[in-house]
């Protein structure tokens, strides 16, 4: 397994290009199952999760071809469809569950393995099941697989979710697009990735209104046609790279970044003493004078502070002046980066869903281990600010969600190398 070696850094300067959003692309790709015409996604990110989704869609009978060095995905699903999503693929990536809604809508049945838990939590599927059942699906759990049927097709309905689940909202949107009649989804997730999926579905002929708010109205149509859709910029990659100059000083412009996608995060950066400016080419970030100030963070569904930036923010706050309290309200076990940061000299106390970070003067480089996607990049950010050398192992977690992270950081002056496993 590869590892990444980071050495403490002086100020950074330059530009980092922001790729298309992993979490948008993983919802957009299954939309190809809804139509027998081609769907082309431009500005696609080049990540291992995208390759896993490609593998899953191929096993269902959909073809996804990566063009232009992977930045364009040409997808089509016009032949025989196999409605069975196998455990061997699904267990690698929870987002595989996003084929459930489209398969039900297109085929009237689906057999999708439960993804199983992952490092950050149990990640059940009950909200997905309730939402699709409201559209008339009969879903039962057998041998670890969800067996779903929609005899006579799905029919429009009004449904309120108990929690604004991103994935369940996406499954409902795709399924309701081809249901008979009108559907209303209440307490819908409002993330920018939901808006991007709705834009793509409208380009395919779906009738959807209210995406981005907590109430979405979908008028079912007979069929959907092909489309070409640009994947929205990755707001989590953006937030991650904004923290690099925040942690070690200097000024960096994140090309293609949009502040409006992560306003709650930018407000916290401002309070911590980081200046953020939207330019016409991206987002410019620099550290104001003096030491970073401690801030409290609570993760919430959009438009609140994104859970996917909690680990990275914690890395910044380990050397802030004062004490910060981070509350993780979305996942039940998302502080695994804390003990690794502690190995680097951070002073962090974790109690249940709260982590109290007492700022220290500086961190010391150390060998640390990546445990999940966002935790791994927070260790790299911490390594940029630490004295000495940090070796982050198990970086396959990183490659799931970050394109060429060492190249992007090296381009702005970071001392970072990838060491290939022998
Ligand atoms: C999406 O996951 C993202 N993944 C996650 O990003 C992100 O952290 C999460 O939304 C929250 O913003 C993709 O988009 C591919 P949820 P998703 O359904 O859809 C519980 C990353 O690092 N829940 O909104 O799975 C669940 O256990 C990843 O890029 C149920 O209880 O998130 C969790 O505690 C990590 N039952 C909470 O809701 C359900 O049926 C939020 O889950 C579904 C979810």
């Amino acid at each position: 397994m590869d590892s990444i070696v980071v050495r403490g850094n002086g100020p950074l300067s330059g530009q980092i290009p922001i790729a298309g959003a992993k979490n948008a692309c993983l919802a957009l790709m299954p939309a190809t199952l809804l139509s027998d015409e081609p769907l082309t996604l431009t500005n696609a990110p080049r990540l291992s999760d995208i390759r896993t989704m490609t593998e899953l869609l191929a096993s269902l009978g959909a073809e996804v071809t990566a063009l232009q060095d992977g930045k364009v995905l040409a997808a089509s699903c016009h032949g025989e469809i196999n409605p069975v999503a196998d455990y061997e693929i699904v267990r690698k990536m929870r987002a595989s569950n996003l084929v459930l809604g489209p398969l039900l809508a297109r085929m009237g049945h689906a057999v999708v393995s439960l993804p199983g838990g992952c490092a950050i939590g149990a990640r059940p599927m009950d909200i997905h099941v309730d939402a699709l059942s409201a559209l008339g699906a009969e879903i039962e759990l057998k041998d670890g697989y969800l067996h779903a049927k929609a005899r006579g097709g799905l029919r429009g309905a009004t449904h309120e979710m108990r929690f604004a689940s991103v994935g369940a909202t996406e499954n409902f949107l795709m399924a309701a697009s081809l249901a008979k009649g009108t559907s209303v989804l209440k307490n819908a997730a409002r993330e920018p990735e939901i808006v991007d999926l709705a834009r793509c579905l409208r380009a395919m002929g779906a009738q959807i209104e209210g995406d981005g708010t907590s109430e979405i109205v979908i008028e079912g149509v007979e069929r959907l046609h092909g489309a070409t859709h640009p994947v929205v910029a990755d707001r989590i990659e953006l937030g991650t790279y904004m923290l690099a100059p925040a942690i070690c000083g200097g000024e960096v412009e994140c090309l293609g970044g949009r502040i409006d996608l992560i306003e709650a995060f930018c407000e916290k950066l401002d309070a911590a003493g980081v200046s953020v400016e939207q330019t016409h080419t991206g987002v410019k970030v620099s550290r104001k004078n003096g030491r970073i100030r401690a801030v409290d963070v609570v993760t919430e569904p959009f438009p609140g502070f994104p859970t996917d930036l909690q680990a990275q923010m914690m890395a910044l706050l380990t050397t802030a002046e004062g004490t910060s309290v981070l509350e993780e309200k979305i996942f039940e076990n998302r502080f695994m980066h804390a003990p690794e940061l502690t190995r680097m000299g951070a002073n962090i106390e974790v109690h249940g869903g709260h982590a109290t970070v007492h700022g220290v003067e500086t961190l010391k480089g150390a060998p640390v281990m990546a445990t999940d996607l966002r935790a791994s990049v927070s260790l790299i950010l911490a390594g940029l600010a630490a004295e000495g050398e940090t070796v982050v192992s198990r970086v396959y977690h990183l490659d799931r969600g970050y394109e060429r992270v060492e190249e992007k950081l090296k381009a702005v002056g970071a001392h970072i190398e990838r060491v290939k496993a022998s």
Side-chain angles (χ1 to χ4, degrees):
M1 288 180 252
D2 294 1
S3 53
I4 284 192
V5 180
V6 195
R7 277 197 305 286
N9 231 85
L12 302 176
S13 75
Q15 296 178 320
I16 295 180
I18 299 302
K22 166 180 85 82
N23 289 348
C25 202
L26 290 174
L28 292 164
M29 293 171 77
T32 194
L33 295 167
L34 293 168
S35 165
D36 57 4
E37 294 184 17
L39 172 63
T40 301
L41 299 173
T42 59
N43 193 36
R46 291 162 291 187
L47 303 166
S48 58
D49 268 10
I50 302 303
R51 292 190 287 276
T52 303
M53 182 59 82
T54 298
E55 185 191 338
L56 173 64
L57 289 172
S59 74
L60 303 178
E63 197 182 324
V64 180
T65 309
L67 307 172
Q68 294 180 32
D69 188 23
K71 287 192 72 94
V72 173
L73 300 176
S76 63
C77 179
H78 45 68
E80 190 67 26
I81 297 177
N82 157 36
V84 179
D86 191 85
Y87 175 63
E88 280 315 305
I89 304 178
V90 173
R91 70 187 175 86
K92 286 194 279 187
M93 183 181 65
R94 175 180 171 85
S96 305
N97 63 16
L98 295 174
V99 302
L100 180 57
L103 282 174
L104 260 180
R106 179 82 181 275
M107 300 289 293
H109 71 282
V111 179
V112 176
S113 168
L114 278 181
C118 72
I120 60 177
R123 306 192 75 179
M125 287 278 293
D126 60 300
I127 304 174
H128 295 248
V129 170
D130 292 349
L132 295 171
S133 302
L135 296 173
E138 293 158 39
I139 304 178
E140 60 165 342
L141 175 62
K142 231 166 44 190
D143 313 324
Y145 282 76
L146 289 176
H147 291 254
K149 282 190 176 50
R151 277 186 259 273
L154 297 171
R155 59 180 187 283
T158 293
H159 176 68
E160 178 160 2
M161 296 196 299
R162 70 173 175 81
F163 174 81
S165 156
V166 172
T169 300
E170 291 162 341
N171 259 327
F172 187 94
L173 274 192
M174 290 190 276
S177 293
L178 289 179
K180 292 182 191 65
T182 305
S183 298
V184 179
L185 182 63
K186 298 183 174 205
N187 196 23
R190 300 170 53 192
E191 274 69 4
E193 292 73 34
I194 305 283
V195 173
D196 204 43
L197 175 62
R199 281 206 182 109
C200 179
L201 291 171
R202 276 194 289 268
M204 295 172 72
Q207 292 179 24
I208 300 173
E209 288 178 0
D211 45 290
T213 75
S214 52
E215 184 160 313
I216 304 178
V217 180
I218 305 109
E219 200 61 54
V221 294
E222 278 292 306
R223 62 186 297 279
L224 293 176
H225 50 71
T228 294
H229 176 77
V231 179
V232 68
D234 193 322
R235 61 193 171 100
I236 305 303
E237 187 193 29
L238 168 63
T240 302
Y241 287 123
M242 287 169 69
L243 284 165
I247 280 187
C248 45
E251 179 175 277
V252 168
E253 184 179 21
C254 299
L255 298 176
R258 289 172 41 192
I259 286 182
D260 67 302
L261 299 179
I262 43 170
E263 277 175 1
F265 169 76
C266 292
E267 282 163 16
K268 288 297 175 184
L269 280 194
D270 179 58
V274 179
S275 84
V276 175
E277 178 202 347
Q278 181 72 58
T279 67
H280 63 281
T281 46
V283 178
K284 199 174 274 184
V285 187
S286 60
R287 190 148 138 185
K288 297 173 190 162
N289 303 326
R291 202 171 157 195
I292 289 294
R293 295 187 293 272
V295 292
D296 292 341
V297 170
V298 180
T299 66
E300 293 171 310
F302 192 87
F305 189 100
T307 174
D308 293 348
L309 285 171
Q310 177 260 106
Q312 300 91 311
M313 190 70 180
M314 187 185 287
L316 174 70
L317 297 173
T318 56
T319 55
E321 188 164 12
T323 295
S324 310
V325 177
L326 292 94
E327 185 180 3
E328 172 55 59
K329 291 178 71 173
I330 305 294
F331 289 102
E332 63 265 33
N333 183 33
R334 204 172 197 179
F335 286 136
M336 284 168 301
H337 40 288
E340 299 303 312
L341 291 168
T342 304
R343 286 178 50 74
M344 299 174 70
N347 180 352
I348 305 169
E349 298 158 60
V350 173
H351 296 292
H354 289 82
T356 302
V357 180
H358 303 282
V360 295
E361 283 293 322
T362 181
L363 297 178
K364 301 261 183 305
V368 290
M369 188 167 72
T371 49
D372 60 87
L373 168 56
R374 308 301 176 183
S376 49
V377 80
S378 81
L379 300 174
I380 287 182
L381 290 170
L384 289 177
E387 285 171 4
E389 182 175 274
T390 298
V391 182
V392 183
S393 60
R394 300 193 175 183
V395 291
Y396 57 85
H397 289 292
L398 202 64
D399 297 333
R400 293 189 52 181
Y402 291 93
E403 252 184 37
R404 303 171 292 115
V405 63
E406 66 276 11
E407 290 171 29
K408 291 191 174 184
L409 285 172
K410 205 182 289 184
V412 292
H415 300 142
I416 182 170
E417 296 298 330
R418 177 182 289 257
V419 177
K420 286 277 179 210
S422 42

